Amino acid sequence: MSMTECPKCASAQIEQGWILSAGKIAFRSDGLSYPFEGGNVRTYVCLDCGYTESYVVKEYLEKMNSNKK
Ligand SMILES: [Zn+2]
């Protein structure tokens, strides 16, 4: 997944990066132990209005999906 157009102002000026705290932001499923290194949530920002949208990376989605089977 990615954000190619701002859902708030319709701008196409989108930059991608990480939201930082002490380290990268990560989502951990209750169903999984700690399988990722660093962040697993990628964030896009609209360069015109500043709106941000975040996605868990595909590799971690696959781990959550395979844990269901
Ligand atoms: Zn915008």
Side-chain angles (χ1 to χ4, degrees):
M1 292 293 292
S2 66
M3 179 175 121
T4 55
E5 180 178 289
C6 178
K8 298 296 181 186
C9 77
S11 171
Q13 297 297 314
I14 306 301
E15 181 102 353
Q16 63 176 301
W18 300 100
I19 291 179
L20 301 181
S21 59
K24 292 174 183 173
I25 300 296
F27 173 82
R28 186 182 69 82
S29 165
D30 285 348
L32 291 172
S33 55
Y34 215 80
F36 52 82
E37 295 177 11
N40 67 1
V41 178
R42 199 68 172 137
T43 297
Y44 297 80
V45 62
C46 173
L47 296 179
D48 287 314
C49 75
Y51 174 78
T52 61
E53 189 167 284
S54 299
Y55 298 89
V56 171
V57 297
K58 190 167 183 280
E59 292 74 19
Y60 195 67
L61 295 178
E62 287 167 354
K63 281 178 181 161
M64 287 187 281
N65 280 317
S66 63
N67 195 43
K68 302 280 182 207
K69 293 164 191 166

